[in-house]
Amino acid sequence: QLQASGGGLVQPGGSLTLSCAHSAPNFGDYAIGWFRQAPGREREVVSVISSSGENTYYTDSVKGRFTISRDNAKNTVYLRMNSLKPEDTATYYCAASGTVILSNLRNVAAYAYWGQGTQVTVSS
């Protein structure tokens, strides 16, 4: 139901924009989170955006480098990733949640719907 795309291989310092699309008519009712999971590690939150787009959250390691945004008319959420580092290498997932409390949206358990993941590899 959620379709994540835009991953790829990029050199350190490069940029990528991930997209998360959904065809549901009530897409604008859901907060969307981007998570990532590297091999051997737990899935971690990267960034979250509220249903309206007014509130956002970024994990400390991506603050100032990543920007989350949404276009509810296009049923799409974007994650612009700049100044990419090798430690950003992971499979990135988008997920949808009906939760409105931003602090709760940092948790994997808050999300009922998940996309299939898109691979981001940062390497020279």
Side-chain angles (χ1 to χ4, degrees), residues 40-86:
R41 302 190 66 176
E42 292 187 354
R43 191 168 296 189
E44 62 174 357
V45 65
V46 176
S47 183
V48 174
I49 189 166
S50 63
S51 58
S52 66
E54 292 182 356
N55 298 301
T56 58
Y57 165 82
Y58 299 93
T59 194
D60 286 345
S61 62
V62 308
K63 284 180 181 177
R65 301 189 297 122
F66 290 11
T67 302
I68 192 170
S69 62
R70 69 188 297 161
D71 184 340
N72 285 343
K74 295 183 178 180
N75 279 10
T76 304
V77 170
Y78 305 96
L79 185 68
R80 174 66 176 178
M81 305 186 296
N82 294 328
S83 302
L84 282 161
K85 304 175 181 180

Side-chain angles (χ1 to χ4, degrees), residues 1-6 18-24 27 32-34 69-72 74-79 93-96 113-116 118:
Q1 294 181 337
L2 290 169
Q3 184 74 30
S5 61
L18 305 184
S19 298
C20 176
H22 195 289
S23 59
F27 179 80
I32 301 296
W34 282 100
S69 62
R70 69 188 297 161
D71 184 340
N72 285 343
K74 295 183 178 180
N75 279 10
T76 304
V77 170
Y78 305 96
L79 185 68
Y93 300 88
C94 63
Y113 308 102
W114 289 83
Q116 83 288 1
T118 186

